[in-house]
PDB file of all heavy atoms in Angstrom:
ATOM      1  N   VAL A 116      33.854  17.769  52.354  1.00 81.00           N
ATOM      2  CA  VAL A 116      33.910  16.369  52.683  1.00 81.00           C
ATOM      3  C   VAL A 116      32.876  15.664  51.740  1.00 81.00           C
ATOM      4  O   VAL A 116      33.141  14.584  51.308  1.00 81.00           O
ATOM      5  CB  VAL A 116      33.607  16.074  54.214  1.00 81.00           C
ATOM      6  CG1 VAL A 116      33.350  14.716  54.515  1.00 81.00           C
ATOM      7  CG2 VAL A 116      34.686  16.689  55.045  1.00 81.00           C
ATOM      8  N   LEU A 117      31.804  16.280  51.643  1.00 81.00           N
ATOM      9  CA  LEU A 117      30.720  15.675  50.789  1.00 81.00           C
ATOM     10  C   LEU A 117      30.476  16.551  49.636  1.00 81.00           C
ATOM     11  O   LEU A 117      30.503  17.814  49.674  1.00 81.00           O
ATOM     12  CB  LEU A 117      29.364  15.517  51.565  1.00 81.00           C
ATOM     13  CG  LEU A 117      29.296  14.617  52.913  1.00 81.00           C
ATOM     14  CD1 LEU A 117      28.010  14.687  53.458  1.00 81.00           C
ATOM     15  CD2 LEU A 117      29.782  13.199  52.522  1.00 81.00           C
ATOM     16  N   SER A 118      30.260  15.925  48.412  1.00 73.00           N
ATOM     17  CA  SER A 118      29.965  16.697  47.272  1.00 73.00           C
ATOM     18  C   SER A 118      28.798  15.897  46.425  1.00 73.00           C
ATOM     19  O   SER A 118      28.699  14.760  46.571  1.00 73.00           O
ATOM     20  CB  SER A 118      31.171  16.828  46.332  1.00 73.00           C
ATOM     21  OG  SER A 118      31.668  15.638  45.925  1.00 73.00           O
ATOM     22  N   VAL A 119      28.127  16.703  45.710  1.00 64.00           N
ATOM     23  CA  VAL A 119      26.952  16.140  44.896  1.00 64.00           C
ATOM     24  C   VAL A 119      27.381  16.117  43.423  1.00 64.00           C
ATOM     25  O   VAL A 119      27.743  17.299  42.973  1.00 64.00           O
ATOM     26  CB  VAL A 119      25.629  16.780  45.098  1.00 64.00           C
ATOM     27  CG1 VAL A 119      24.556  16.352  44.334  1.00 64.00           C
ATOM     28  CG2 VAL A 119      25.305  16.719  46.645  1.00 64.00           C
ATOM     29  N   GLU A 120      27.386  15.157  42.793  1.00 63.00           N
ATOM     30  CA  GLU A 120      27.740  14.982  41.343  1.00 63.00           C
ATOM     31  C   GLU A 120      26.705  14.316  40.517  1.00 63.00           C
ATOM     32  O   GLU A 120      25.954  13.498  41.064  1.00 63.00           O
ATOM     33  CB  GLU A 120      29.164  14.184  41.119  1.00 63.00           C
ATOM     34  CG  GLU A 120      30.302  14.944  41.930  1.00 63.00           C
ATOM     35  CD  GLU A 120      31.593  14.183  41.671  1.00 63.00           C
ATOM     36  OE1 GLU A 120      31.490  13.125  41.083  1.00 63.00           O
ATOM     37  OE2 GLU A 120      32.579  14.675  42.422  1.00 63.00           O
ATOM     38  N   LYS A 121      26.660  14.730  39.262  1.00 64.00           N
ATOM     39  CA  LYS A 121      25.746  14.052  38.349  1.00 64.00           C
ATOM     40  C   LYS A 121      26.310  12.773  37.812  1.00 64.00           C
ATOM     41  O   LYS A 121      27.512  12.811  37.588  1.00 64.00           O
ATOM     42  CB  LYS A 121      25.283  15.049  37.262  1.00 64.00           C
ATOM     43  CG  LYS A 121      24.227  14.608  36.367  1.00 64.00           C
ATOM     44  CD  LYS A 121      23.746  15.662  35.407  1.00 64.00           C
ATOM     45  CE  LYS A 121      22.579  15.101  34.558  1.00 64.00           C
ATOM     46  NZ  LYS A 121      21.988  16.260  33.824  1.00 64.00           N
ATOM     47  N   LYS A 122      25.627  11.642  37.831  1.00 64.00           N
ATOM     48  CA  LYS A 122      26.075  10.353  37.427  1.00 64.00           C
ATOM     49  C   LYS A 122      26.328  10.560  35.802  1.00 64.00           C
ATOM     50  O   LYS A 122      25.642  11.147  35.053  1.00 64.00           O
ATOM     51  CB  LYS A 122      25.021   9.258  37.560  1.00 64.00           C
ATOM     52  CG  LYS A 122      24.825   8.974  39.021  1.00 64.00           C
ATOM     53  CD  LYS A 122      23.850   7.770  39.088  1.00 64.00           C
ATOM     54  CE  LYS A 122      23.635   7.574  40.593  1.00 64.00           C
ATOM     55  NZ  LYS A 122      22.504   6.517  40.741  1.00 64.00           N
ATOM     56  N   ASP A 123      27.320   9.697  35.334  1.00 68.00           N
ATOM     57  CA  ASP A 123      27.611   9.707  33.964  1.00 68.00           C
ATOM     58  C   ASP A 123      26.545   8.895  33.217  1.00 68.00           C
ATOM     59  O   ASP A 123      26.092   7.801  33.781  1.00 68.00           O
ATOM     60  CB  ASP A 123      28.984   9.005  33.787  1.00 68.00           C
ATOM     61  CG  ASP A 123      30.129   9.794  34.133  1.00 68.00           C
ATOM     62  OD1 ASP A 123      30.026  11.133  34.243  1.00 68.00           O
ATOM     63  OD2 ASP A 123      31.233   9.288  34.517  1.00 68.00           O
ATOM     64  N   LEU A 124      26.121   9.432  32.098  1.00 72.00           N
ATOM     65  CA  LEU A 124      25.180   8.637  31.246  1.00 72.00           C
ATOM     66  C   LEU A 124      25.779   7.375  30.530  1.00 72.00           C
ATOM     67  O   LEU A 124      26.853   7.463  30.008  1.00 72.00           O
ATOM     68  CB  LEU A 124      24.544   9.621  30.241  1.00 72.00           C
ATOM     69  CG  LEU A 124      23.760  10.810  30.784  1.00 72.00           C
ATOM     70  CD1 LEU A 124      23.440  11.714  29.537  1.00 72.00           C
ATOM     71  CD2 LEU A 124      22.549  10.465  31.543  1.00 72.00           C
ATOM     72  N   ASP A 125      25.036   6.314  30.455  1.00 82.00           N
ATOM     73  CA  ASP A 125      25.390   5.286  29.822  1.00 82.00           C
ATOM     74  C   ASP A 125      25.002   5.395  28.392  1.00 82.00           C
ATOM     75  O   ASP A 125      23.824   5.273  28.101  1.00 82.00           O
ATOM     76  CB  ASP A 125      24.773   3.957  30.432  1.00 82.00           C
ATOM     77  CG  ASP A 125      25.330   2.688  29.670  1.00 82.00           C
ATOM     78  OD1 ASP A 125      25.701   2.813  28.583  1.00 82.00           O
ATOM     79  OD2 ASP A 125      25.291   1.617  30.315  1.00 82.00           O
ATOM     80  N   ALA A 126      25.819   5.977  27.526  1.00 86.00           N
ATOM     81  CA  ALA A 126      25.509   6.399  26.122  1.00 86.00           C
ATOM     82  C   ALA A 126      24.824   5.112  25.320  1.00 86.00           C
ATOM     83  O   ALA A 126      23.918   5.308  24.613  1.00 86.00           O
ATOM     84  CB  ALA A 126      26.603   6.988  25.459  1.00 86.00           C
ATOM     85  N   ASP A 127      25.511   4.057  25.427  1.00 89.00           N
ATOM     86  CA  ASP A 127      25.015   2.925  24.711  1.00 89.00           C
ATOM     87  C   ASP A 127      23.635   2.468  25.065  1.00 89.00           C
ATOM     88  O   ASP A 127      22.868   2.192  24.280  1.00 89.00           O
ATOM     89  CB  ASP A 127      25.955   1.680  24.824  1.00 89.00           C
ATOM     90  CG  ASP A 127      27.321   1.939  24.170  1.00 89.00           C
ATOM     91  OD1 ASP A 127      27.376   2.779  23.285  1.00 89.00           O
ATOM     92  OD2 ASP A 127      28.343   1.373  24.610  1.00 89.00           O
ATOM     93  N   ALA A 128      23.363   2.413  26.329  1.00 89.00           N
ATOM     94  CA  ALA A 128      22.093   1.955  26.807  1.00 89.00           C
ATOM     95  C   ALA A 128      21.007   3.029  26.595  1.00 89.00           C
ATOM     96  O   ALA A 128      19.947   2.635  26.086  1.00 89.00           O
ATOM     97  CB  ALA A 128      22.151   1.767  28.350  1.00 89.00           C
ATOM     98  N   ILE A 129      21.313   4.192  26.600  1.00 89.00           N
ATOM     99  CA  ILE A 129      20.297   5.385  26.233  1.00 89.00           C
ATOM    100  C   ILE A 129      20.081   5.352  24.753  1.00 89.00           C
ATOM    101  O   ILE A 129      18.927   5.334  24.349  1.00 89.00           O
ATOM    102  CB  ILE A 129      20.817   6.594  26.834  1.00 89.00           C
ATOM    103  CG1 ILE A 129      20.801   6.767  28.266  1.00 89.00           C
ATOM    104  CG2 ILE A 129      20.006   7.695  26.141  1.00 89.00           C
ATOM    105  CD1 ILE A 129      21.378   7.994  28.947  1.00 89.00           C
ATOM    106  N   SER A 130      21.090   5.134  24.031  1.00 91.00           N
ATOM    107  CA  SER A 130      20.930   5.043  22.456  1.00 91.00           C
ATOM    108  C   SER A 130      20.002   3.908  21.964  1.00 91.00           C
ATOM    109  O   SER A 130      19.105   4.142  21.189  1.00 91.00           O
ATOM    110  CB  SER A 130      22.254   4.994  21.770  1.00 91.00           C
ATOM    111  OG  SER A 130      23.007   6.166  21.911  1.00 91.00           O
ATOM    112  N   ALA A 131      20.245   2.717  22.685  1.00 92.00           N
ATOM    113  CA  ALA A 131      19.522   1.598  22.322  1.00 92.00           C
ATOM    114  C   ALA A 131      18.047   1.830  22.750  1.00 92.00           C
ATOM    115  O   ALA A 131      17.079   1.493  21.977  1.00 92.00           O
ATOM    116  CB  ALA A 131      20.033   0.394  23.070  1.00 92.00           C
ATOM    117  N   GLY A 132      17.778   2.301  24.043  1.00 93.00           N
ATOM    118  CA  GLY A 132      16.509   2.534  24.508  1.00 93.00           C
ATOM    119  C   GLY A 132      15.744   3.647  23.759  1.00 93.00           C
ATOM    120  O   GLY A 132      14.528   3.520  23.471  1.00 93.00           O
ATOM    121  N   LEU A 133      16.501   4.657  23.382  1.00 93.00           N
ATOM    122  CA  LEU A 133      15.876   5.695  22.633  1.00 93.00           C
ATOM    123  C   LEU A 133      15.479   5.162  21.169  1.00 93.00           C
ATOM    124  O   LEU A 133      14.407   5.664  20.639  1.00 93.00           O
ATOM    125  CB  LEU A 133      16.875   6.927  22.451  1.00 93.00           C
ATOM    126  CG  LEU A 133      16.361   8.071  21.682  1.00 93.00           C
ATOM    127  CD1 LEU A 133      15.096   8.720  22.202  1.00 93.00           C
ATOM    128  CD2 LEU A 133      17.390   9.194  21.803  1.00 93.00           C
ATOM    129  N   THR A 134      16.247   4.357  20.673  1.00 94.00           N
ATOM    130  CA  THR A 134      16.016   3.783  19.505  1.00 94.00           C
ATOM    131  C   THR A 134      14.760   3.057  19.407  1.00 94.00           C
ATOM    132  O   THR A 134      13.839   3.000  18.441  1.00 94.00           O
ATOM    133  CB  THR A 134      17.129   2.916  18.792  1.00 94.00           C
ATOM    134  OG1 THR A 134      18.283   3.676  18.660  1.00 94.00           O
ATOM    135  CG2 THR A 134      16.760   2.377  17.540  1.00 94.00           C
ATOM    136  N   GLN A 135      14.432   2.183  20.554  1.00 95.00           N
ATOM    137  CA  GLN A 135      13.255   1.392  20.582  1.00 95.00           C
ATOM    138  C   GLN A 135      12.115   2.468  20.725  1.00 95.00           C
ATOM    139  O   GLN A 135      10.950   2.006  20.096  1.00 95.00           O
ATOM    140  CB  GLN A 135      13.332   0.591  21.749  1.00 95.00           C
ATOM    141  CG  GLN A 135      14.289  -0.639  21.709  1.00 95.00           C
ATOM    142  CD  GLN A 135      14.393  -1.422  23.046  1.00 95.00           C
ATOM    143  OE1 GLN A 135      13.697  -1.206  24.001  1.00 95.00           O
ATOM    144  NE2 GLN A 135      15.241  -2.604  22.983  1.00 95.00           N
ATOM    145  N   ILE A 136      12.059   3.364  21.398  1.00 96.00           N
ATOM    146  CA  ILE A 136      11.070   4.378  21.509  1.00 96.00           C
ATOM    147  C   ILE A 136      10.762   5.027  20.177  1.00 96.00           C
ATOM    148  O   ILE A 136       9.683   5.215  19.761  1.00 96.00           O
ATOM    149  CB  ILE A 136      11.295   5.479  22.635  1.00 96.00           C
ATOM    150  CG1 ILE A 136      11.390   4.724  24.023  1.00 96.00           C
ATOM    151  CG2 ILE A 136      10.161   6.452  22.710  1.00 96.00           C
ATOM    152  CD1 ILE A 136      11.987   5.676  25.126  1.00 96.00           C
ATOM    153  N   ALA A 137      11.823   5.392  19.512  1.00 95.00           N
ATOM    154  CA  ALA A 137      11.696   6.001  18.171  1.00 95.00           C
ATOM    155  C   ALA A 137      11.124   4.940  17.196  1.00 95.00           C
ATOM    156  O   ALA A 137      10.117   5.366  16.327  1.00 95.00           O
ATOM    157  CB  ALA A 137      13.022   6.434  17.618  1.00 95.00           C
ATOM    158  N   GLU A 138      11.370   3.755  17.255  1.00 95.00           N
ATOM    159  CA  GLU A 138      10.787   2.748  16.474  1.00 95.00           C
ATOM    160  C   GLU A 138       9.191   2.616  16.734  1.00 95.00           C
ATOM    161  O   GLU A 138       8.407   2.494  15.783  1.00 95.00           O
ATOM    162  CB  GLU A 138      11.394   1.373  16.706  1.00 95.00           C
ATOM    163  CG  GLU A 138      12.751   1.090  16.121  1.00 95.00           C
ATOM    164  CD  GLU A 138      12.620   0.789  14.577  1.00 95.00           C
ATOM    165  OE1 GLU A 138      11.546   0.746  14.094  1.00 95.00           O
ATOM    166  OE2 GLU A 138      13.751   0.807  13.914  1.00 95.00           O
ATOM    167  N   GLU A 139       8.802   2.708  17.934  1.00 96.00           N
ATOM    168  CA  GLU A 139       7.472   2.646  18.301  1.00 96.00           C
ATOM    169  C   GLU A 139       6.798   3.963  17.697  1.00 96.00           C
ATOM    170  O   GLU A 139       5.588   3.776  17.160  1.00 96.00           O
ATOM    171  CB  GLU A 139       7.232   2.593  19.825  1.00 96.00           C
ATOM    172  CG  GLU A 139       5.731   2.420  20.250  1.00 96.00           C
ATOM    173  CD  GLU A 139       5.696   2.477  21.837  1.00 96.00           C
ATOM    174  OE1 GLU A 139       6.697   2.011  22.551  1.00 96.00           O
ATOM    175  OE2 GLU A 139       4.621   2.625  22.323  1.00 96.00           O
ATOM    176  N   ALA A 140       7.385   5.093  17.902  1.00 96.00           N
ATOM    177  CA  ALA A 140       6.812   6.363  17.350  1.00 96.00           C
ATOM    178  C   ALA A 140       6.681   6.193  15.829  1.00 96.00           C
ATOM    179  O   ALA A 140       5.723   6.696  15.273  1.00 96.00           O
ATOM    180  CB  ALA A 140       7.680   7.510  17.646  1.00 96.00           C
ATOM    181  N   LEU A 141       7.615   5.651  15.096  1.00 96.00           N
ATOM    182  CA  LEU A 141       7.554   5.400  13.689  1.00 96.00           C
ATOM    183  C   LEU A 141       6.379   4.530  13.281  1.00 96.00           C
ATOM    184  O   LEU A 141       5.873   4.694  12.237  1.00 96.00           O
ATOM    185  CB  LEU A 141       8.864   4.937  13.164  1.00 96.00           C
ATOM    186  CG  LEU A 141       9.949   6.020  13.031  1.00 96.00           C
ATOM    187  CD1 LEU A 141      11.439   5.483  13.007  1.00 96.00           C
ATOM    188  CD2 LEU A 141       9.702   6.900  11.905  1.00 96.00           C
ATOM    189  N   ARG A 142       6.259   3.510  14.106  1.00 95.00           N
ATOM    190  CA  ARG A 142       5.125   2.592  13.802  1.00 95.00           C
ATOM    191  C   ARG A 142       3.748   3.347  13.807  1.00 95.00           C
ATOM    192  O   ARG A 142       2.842   3.173  12.990  1.00 95.00           O
ATOM    193  CB  ARG A 142       5.016   1.478  14.744  1.00 95.00           C
ATOM    194  CG  ARG A 142       6.075   0.289  14.417  1.00 95.00           C
ATOM    195  CD  ARG A 142       5.890  -1.030  15.100  1.00 95.00           C
ATOM    196  NE  ARG A 142       6.067  -0.798  16.606  1.00 95.00           N
ATOM    197  CZ  ARG A 142       7.344  -0.928  17.165  1.00 95.00           C
ATOM    198  NH1 ARG A 142       8.486  -1.229  16.454  1.00 95.00           N
ATOM    199  NH2 ARG A 142       7.531  -0.862  18.491  1.00 95.00           N
TER     200      ARG A 142
END
Side-chain angles (χ1 to χ4, degrees):
V116 170
L117 301 180
S118 62
V119 180
E120 298 179 0
K121 192 169 184 177
K122 292 180 181 178
D123 292 334
L124 297 174
D125 186 336
D127 292 338
I129 290 176
S130 293
L133 181 53
T134 299
Q135 290 181 355
I136 298 171
E138 286 282 355
E139 185 178 344
L141 281 161
R142 285 192 291 271

